Amino acid sequence: MAAINKFHVSSCTGGNCECLWALDYRPEGMHGARRRVRFRTRKQAEMFLSETSQRAARGEYVEPAKIPTFVEVAEDWLQSKTDRRPSHVFDLRTRLDKHILPIFGPQRLDRISVATVDRFRNNLRDRKYAYRTINTILRIMSAVFRLGIKRGQCTKNPLDSVERAAQVAKELKAVEGADDAGNDAAEPDSVLSPSEIQALLASARPGFERTLFETAYLTGARQGELLGMRWTDLELPKEGSGKMVIRRSLSWARLKGEATRPRYFPPKTKAGRRTISIPALLVADLKRWKLQCPQSEEHLVFPTLEGKPVCRDWLLRVAFYPALARARLRRLTFHTLRHSCASAMIAGGAPITEVQHRLGHANPAITLQVYSHFFKHTEGSTADEMANAILNGNGSLGKLEKSGHSVGTLIDSPIVPSAVSA
């Protein structure tokens, strides 16, 4: 049985005193532990008892002493992810330490409410974080709560009732169209034109820098894929074009408490493991570079002078950024060369599937989404060719025949009039 009585202190004078009301009850039944909680009013004590009894009846009651803090469950959750790529684990660790744990770490799981998380989301939005970043943070919090529920350490996940962040509506400028605003795709300012690529290569130091930048632009390979490439991954014939096999990627991400060291990982997707062609001019430059390339135990194509793997930060600071400055080009990331490759291929009329394969995208939809802006300006003369071929009879049917039956496969039997719709 539960009892609610006044808890009088020694200095109490009686009457209408302001002493607290003490609730003495067993939330888990007659055989459970006894708990004593104090409230300012009797009504608060009765409401608490009613809610606790209902949770216990539904099997949702968890003894407060057994409810851990958010940081305790978060550390266990992160520990279960250590078999993932170090770069992914590092990203999770950073988001926990920078955004989540300073706010929710010391709080018990049952003390974190929907309203609290709503205010947290709004604060991130006010600080101009991208909606994708905000939703990633909320997704991590939700995963921590799911682990707590799975272990029986809490009964509710407040993130289930929290509305996710949406892309902020952007006011259009007078010269801006609806399709030009709020797009996450690669924009023209994020790529270098062929003339700018020429300027970059001209300003790059011969050897390592020039060959690496040229290879990045002409192959569209990622930075980690190029820095992890070995000479055995290249096919460099005496004449003509060659081949490049992308089998792995270099990563310098590290786990908390570990020393920084180079790690190699296979591509994340099946499409990432690919064989692409390399033009004859690049084959010739790679052959020249091979003669002066520092010796490496791993036979790396682009090692340091000591034959060690190149760190991406060193590459940007010592090679790429200075080359951009000497060419008087705007400061961009190394990934710009990959975007520039894709945009040049699209401008040259390459099929979407060819661009997808070269970049290692899992499906053409990704390529279309990232480079949608460039496809808008590649409309060719196919419609005119179609019209000339069937209306004027002065066009070539060669390419268009691929879209239907081959010449000579038309049915020779006469059309039955009754089968023709009016």
Side-chain angles (χ1 to χ4, degrees):
M1 293 292 292
I4 302 177
N5 297 298
K6 275 276 191 176
F7 181 80
H8 296 285
V9 296
S10 58
S11 60
C12 178
T13 57
N16 293 327
C17 63
E18 296 183 356
C19 294
L20 300 178
W21 289 87
L23 169 62
D24 188 339
Y25 73 117
R26 296 178 186 270
E28 297 178 284
M30 294 299 296
H31 301 289
R34 170 174 288 178
R35 290 200 64 215
R36 296 179 178 86
V37 190
R38 297 171 187 173
F39 301 89
R40 295 188 62 86
T41 65
R42 183 183 184 91
K43 186 174 182 180
Q44 290 176 343
E46 291 173 345
M47 290 178 60
F48 178 84
L49 177 61
S50 175
E51 293 173 359
T52 303
S53 301
Q54 292 177 22
R55 290 202 303 271
R58 294 194 300 265
E60 298 177 354
Y61 177 78
V62 180
E63 184 68 26
K66 298 179 181 179
I67 301 177
T69 59
F70 185 91
V71 65
E72 293 172 331
V73 184
E75 293 296 341
D76 289 345
W77 173 80
L78 185 63
Q79 189 64 30
S80 69
K81 305 296 179 184
T82 53
D83 57 343
R84 311 295 175 88
R85 286 175 178 261
S87 56
H88 177 64
V89 179
F90 179 78
D91 181 65
L92 297 176
R93 176 83 267 174
T94 300
R95 295 189 189 282
L96 280 170
D97 291 345
K98 183 178 179 180
H99 301 292
I100 303 174
L101 296 184
I103 305 297
F104 300 103
Q107 299 185 43
R108 254 177 27 193
L109 292 180
D110 63 327
R111 299 288 177 85
I112 301 176
S113 65
V114 174
T116 304
V117 181
D118 275 339
R119 288 192 293 271
F120 172 67
R121 178 207 58 209
N122 294 341
N123 180 261
L124 291 175
R125 189 166 53 202
D126 293 341
R127 292 161 60 188
K128 306 303 181 183
Y129 280 95
Y131 76 100
R132 294 181 188 274
T133 301
I134 297 174
N135 289 339
T136 298
I137 294 172
L138 298 180
R139 188 162 56 248
I140 293 173
M141 290 186 63
S142 182
V144 173
F145 272 99
R146 287 198 300 271
L147 178 60
I149 294 173
K150 181 180 177 181
R151 291 179 170 181
Q153 296 170 324
C154 63
T155 59
K156 292 190 301 183
N157 182 353
L159 276 297
D160 289 342
S161 302
V162 173
E163 186 176 351
R164 297 304 188 257
Q167 187 170 8
V168 178
K170 177 184 175 183
E171 183 178 355
L172 299 180
K173 298 177 182 178
V175 296
E176 189 176 26
D179 292 338
D180 299 324
N183 198 336
D184 292 330
E187 296 294 334
D189 288 342
S190 67
V191 303
L192 295 173
S193 66
S195 60
E196 290 175 323
I197 291 292
Q198 286 182 325
L200 174 64
L201 295 180
S203 67
R205 298 184 181 92
F208 173 86
E209 288 186 13
R210 180 183 172 88
T211 311
L212 175 59
F213 300 165
E214 181 183 344
T215 305
Y217 173 71
L218 293 176
T219 64
R222 299 176 177 89
Q223 182 184 41
E225 294 170 342
L226 292 170
L227 299 182
M229 186 169 298
R230 297 162 294 189
W231 287 109
T232 52
D233 298 325
L234 296 176
E235 183 180 311
L236 306 175
K238 292 183 179 180
E239 295 181 356
S241 61
K243 292 182 179 180
M244 172 188 292
V245 182
I246 297 178
R247 298 187 175 94
R248 65 177 191 170
S249 180
L250 171 65
S251 173
W252 286 89
R254 65 183 179 88
L255 302 178
K256 189 175 182 179
E258 290 189 0
T260 302
R261 63 180 178 87
R263 304 168 188 258
Y264 299 98
F265 294 94
K268 294 181 180 180
T269 64
K270 185 177 179 180
R273 184 185 177 95
R274 60 202 187 277
T275 301
I276 58 178
S277 63
I278 49 180
L281 291 175
L282 177 57
V283 169
D285 286 345
L286 285 169
K287 285 180 179 179
R288 282 191 290 270
W289 166 241
K290 189 174 184 179
L291 297 176
Q292 51 184 305
C293 177
Q295 294 297 313
S296 167
E297 292 182 1
E298 302 178 52
H299 306 289
L300 296 173
V301 178
F302 299 108
T304 64
L305 292 175
E306 295 77 23
K308 303 298 182 182
V310 171
C311 177
R312 59 183 299 173
D313 293 336
W314 178 90
L315 174 62
L316 292 175
R317 186 178 67 256
V318 177
F320 190 64
Y321 289 157
L324 288 173
R326 289 193 296 271
R328 296 185 176 181
L329 297 173
R330 59 195 178 281
R331 186 158 174 159
L332 298 168
T333 66
F334 192 87
H335 203 72
T336 293
L337 298 178
R338 176 174 165 87
H339 287 327
S340 302
C341 170
S343 64
M345 290 182 68
I346 295 168
I352 180 63
T353 50
E354 181 183 346
V355 182
Q356 170 211 350
H357 173 71
R358 198 166 195 82
L359 299 182
H361 288 160
N363 58 70
I366 298 175
T367 312
L368 287 169
Q369 178 181 359
V370 176
Y371 301 105
S372 58
H373 181 90
F374 302 97
F375 281 103
K376 295 175 185 177
H377 306 288
T378 57
E379 184 175 354
S381 58
T382 305
D384 292 332
E385 293 175 4
M386 292 166 59
N388 288 331
I390 66 171
L391 298 179
N392 294 334
N394 58 358
S396 173
L397 294 174
K399 291 190 298 182
L400 302 180
E401 285 297 338
K402 298 179 182 179
S403 64
H405 293 291
S406 299
V407 176
T409 60
L410 297 177
I411 300 175
D412 295 330
S413 57
I415 298 176
V416 180
S418 61
V420 179
S421 352

